[in-house]
Amino acid sequence: MAGSDRTSFVRGFSDLDVETTVARLPVKGTFPPWLRGTLLRTGPAKFDIGGTSVNHWFDGLAMLHRFSFADGEVAYSNRFLRSDTFKRSMDRGALADGGFATDPCRTLFQRVASVFSPRFTDNGNVNIDSFGGEPVALTETLLPVRFDLETLAVLGHHPMSAEVGGMISIAHPHHDAGRRCRYSYVVEFGRRSQYRLFAIPDDGSAQRVVATMEVDKPSYMHSFAMTERYLILTEFPLVVDPLRMMLNLSPFIRNYRWLPERGLRFHVFDKDSGRHVISHTAEAAFAFHHINAFEADGELKIDAVVYPDAAIIDQLYLSRLRAGEPVTATGQPTRFTVPLGDNGTVTAASLASGMLELPRVDYDRCAGKDYRYMWGNGRTPDGLFLDSIVRIDLETGAVARWFVDGCYPGEPVFVPRPGSTDEGDGVIISVVLDAHRGTSFLQVMDSISLSDIARAQCPHTIPFGLHSCYYPGAEEGRMAQM
């Protein structure tokens, strides 16, 4: 790509103010007849509010996108997530609640008052999941927003147990089909802060605390790892002094400090008893996303997209991205081998060369187990932003890539073929920005070869999102998630 075309990805950081419903999108190719479910996607879609802009990609106001498949056709609708934060921001003409890296303009009195009565955002722009059978939009607070699967209308907050408590959570719970629950964790800030792992039962009953751990300086952890028997907190050395955070009144992530001398710490807990099994320390590293984890030969294999430090956070500030500045931080798919006993040390090995982010696996079949395939977004050698979809075969080392000049695919969502017993048998779905045409399309491709199957043309440009969830139709059975 030459000249200005190389920075065409900046179109993915423009506002989308239009809400629409299209009963039948124009389709090129033929969608598999068994694809009869719904892809739900969330992501930032409004960055400019009144006369101000948010500071960071992660702070844009959330929009939901719904793609429904049936009989080879695709319907589409999009709607702002009308959360409390959204409504307050629209009334105020500026971001009303503190976000990831954006702090609302407040009077001195309001800033001091916020220390004693903090108001957390419910701007669910990070992920979609299902709590108690209901779809929810998530961000990194304890305010999951319920919404209607058909209309995308907000239905309120999913109730969280007082037993769990906490102040900050994550948008990447893990689902354990055998135990019929999701696992997540919260951070309780205080003089002696605490991590709390907790379970969210599938039947909608109250959440319960599984394990707790006291911590002096809590780490920023966007996700965590799960095997069949264990839950693992991967504590990166990007940490915060809770007192400093309360008194500094800076945007959330600006209170965290990179302290590589602390190293990378793995804390392992038994799922059923909550017992702290072991902790190990390795060389400092950072990650947003875990890929998968499993047990083998008395050790844990923990796979994540790893960076040498937390500089990737600063590279995703909105002003940089809109100016076409390159995202040069390279996430490397890496496997950590963590002993389950006191002896031995943590080792790390690369799983493949090249950039990978927003990883997905055949989750319902392989979560917490040994696995063969992973998918994610990649970046070509001269690319400035995520510009391709990558499939990695961990058994053979083979790497497949989907790349089209001027196109920027979003997170690749794996959807299994109904009735198949083979890992990775299905399709990949991705929402793609076509920067040359100034619009977006939904792409379906073969999950192994990444060859094109069909695409549906969207009525407008869809800003770059973060994560999606696929809800199957009755014939399909399994929910593609994580």
Side-chain angles (χ1 to χ4, degrees):
M1 291 182 288
S4 61
D5 284 348
R6 297 191 69 230
T7 62
S8 59
F9 71 89
V10 301
R11 295 178 181 177
F13 299 102
S14 299
D15 285 3
L16 174 59
D17 291 313
V18 175
E19 297 175 309
T20 189
T21 297
V22 181
R24 184 182 301 171
L25 294 177
V27 170
K28 180 181 179 181
T30 303
F31 288 102
W34 54 262
L35 194 64
R36 304 184 61 83
T38 298
L39 179 75
L40 291 174
R41 183 177 187 257
T42 189
K46 190 169 185 61
F47 305 97
D48 306 305
I49 311 166
T52 63
S53 299
V54 299
N55 291 339
H56 202 278
W57 179 25
F58 297 168
D59 285 331
L61 293 176
M63 178 174 279
L64 302 174
H65 303 266
R66 180 181 188 270
F67 296 88
S68 298
F69 305 88
D71 302 322
E73 296 181 351
V74 186
Y76 169 77
S77 59
N78 67 304
R79 185 181 177 96
F80 278 110
L81 182 74
R82 284 171 166 77
S83 62
D84 290 346
T85 293
F86 177 88
K87 290 183 287 188
R88 286 193 290 261
S89 298
M90 291 299 98
D91 289 343
R92 182 178 177 182
L95 189 66
D97 301 327
F100 181 79
T102 306
D103 189 34
C105 295
R106 295 176 290 195
T107 66
L108 178 61
F109 172 79
Q110 289 171 325
R111 293 175 68 86
V112 173
S114 69
V115 173
F116 301 98
S117 183
R119 189 170 67 192
F120 297 105
T121 181
D122 62 348
N123 180 31
N125 65 3
V126 180
N127 200 10
I128 300 288
D129 210 321
S130 180
F131 288 0
E134 291 185 308
V136 290
L138 303 173
T139 185
E140 295 179 323
T141 67
L142 285 161
L143 294 170
V145 178
R146 300 163 49 237
F147 64 91
D148 186 272
L149 178 64
E150 300 294 328
T151 67
L152 306 182
V154 165
L155 303 175
H157 294 129
H158 182 85
M160 300 299 289
S161 169
E163 176 191 356
V164 173
M167 298 172 184
I168 298 298
S169 188
I170 59 166
H172 289 285
H174 274 296
H175 187 237
D176 187 317
R179 292 173 174 82
R180 298 185 59 79
C181 70
R182 280 168 170 73
Y183 291 102
S184 187
Y185 75 87
V186 297
V187 181
E188 180 78 46
F189 294 114
R191 179 173 295 179
R192 189 63 177 170
S193 298
Q194 197 174 76
Y195 301 136
R196 294 183 193 140
L197 287 154
F198 67 101
I200 308 168
D202 288 349
D203 63 10
S205 56
Q207 300 91 1
R208 57 182 175 81
V209 174
V210 174
T212 62
M213 181 178 189
E214 289 193 343
V215 55
D216 59 343
K217 289 182 171 60
S219 167
Y220 175 70
M221 297 179 285
H222 183 76
S223 61
F224 70 109
M226 179 186 80
T227 70
E228 292 186 280
R229 291 186 295 168
Y230 302 110
L231 302 174
I232 305 101
L233 292 179
T234 307
E235 191 181 35
F236 307 106
L238 182 63
V239 298
V240 66
D241 181 327
L243 181 61
R244 174 192 175 93
M245 181 165 61
M246 292 178 67
L247 297 178
N248 192 26
L249 301 179
S250 295
F252 170 74
I253 200 62
R254 302 304 298 175
N255 294 286
Y256 284 75
R257 297 292 180 267
W258 180 251
L259 302 179
E261 64 273 14
R262 291 174 61 96
L264 173 60
R265 303 175 183 181
F266 296 91
H267 305 297
V268 183
F269 301 87
D270 183 270
K271 276 183 181 177
D272 296 320
S273 69
R275 177 177 63 91
H276 174 231
V277 177
I278 197 73
S279 290
H280 282 289
T281 302
E283 291 186 8
F286 177 75
F288 284 119
H289 299 114
H290 288 76
I291 303 168
N292 199 9
F294 58 94
E295 305 155 34
D297 302 321
E299 298 174 320
L300 300 180
K301 308 293 184 179
I302 301 172
D303 297 349
V305 177
V306 174
Y307 299 84
D309 54 38
I312 179 62
I313 292 175
D314 291 337
Q315 292 194 7
L316 298 178
Y317 272 81
L318 187 63
S319 59
R320 289 191 78 262
L321 296 171
R322 284 182 161 179
E325 293 292 325
V327 178
T328 57
T330 299
Q332 184 74 33
T334 300
R335 174 164 294 172
F336 295 99
T337 298
V338 179
L340 278 170
D342 293 327
N343 297 326
T345 58
V346 177
T347 61
S350 174
L351 292 173
S353 61
M355 169 72 180
L356 187 84
E357 252 303 353
L358 303 178
R360 302 289 291 239
V361 299
D362 186 343
Y363 188 87
D364 285 344
R365 191 187 306 278
C366 299
K369 304 173 185 178
D370 196 2
Y371 69 112
R372 178 174 180 177
Y373 298 111
M374 74 171 74
W375 298 265
N377 290 118
R379 187 181 68 225
T380 52
D382 64 343
L384 305 186
F385 193 70
L386 299 172
D387 60 11
S388 52
I389 291 175
V390 175
R391 190 269 297 146
I392 298 172
D393 185 335
L394 296 175
E395 184 175 295
T396 66
V399 177
R401 183 181 297 272
W402 183 95
F403 170 80
V404 175
D405 183 27
C407 290
Y408 299 90
E411 178 189 42
V413 178
F414 172 75
V415 180
R417 187 186 310 274
S420 174
T421 59
D422 297 330
E423 178 190 348
D425 181 14
V427 297
I428 289 294
I429 304 178
S430 177
V431 178
V432 183
L433 168 66
D434 185 342
H436 290 326
R437 297 183 61 183
T439 187
S440 296
F441 60 88
L442 180 133
Q443 177 74 32
V444 175
M445 62 190 73
D446 181 87
S447 57
I448 301 300
S449 67
L450 300 189
S451 57
D452 293 349
I453 294 176
R455 69 176 56 176
Q457 189 64 48
C458 300
H460 45 229
T461 297
I462 297 177
F464 291 134
L466 294 169
H467 300 289
S468 307
C469 183
Y470 183 82
Y471 285 77
E475 299 91 340
E476 294 169 88
R478 292 196 288 155
M479 186 172 80
Q481 58 188 335
M482 186 173 173

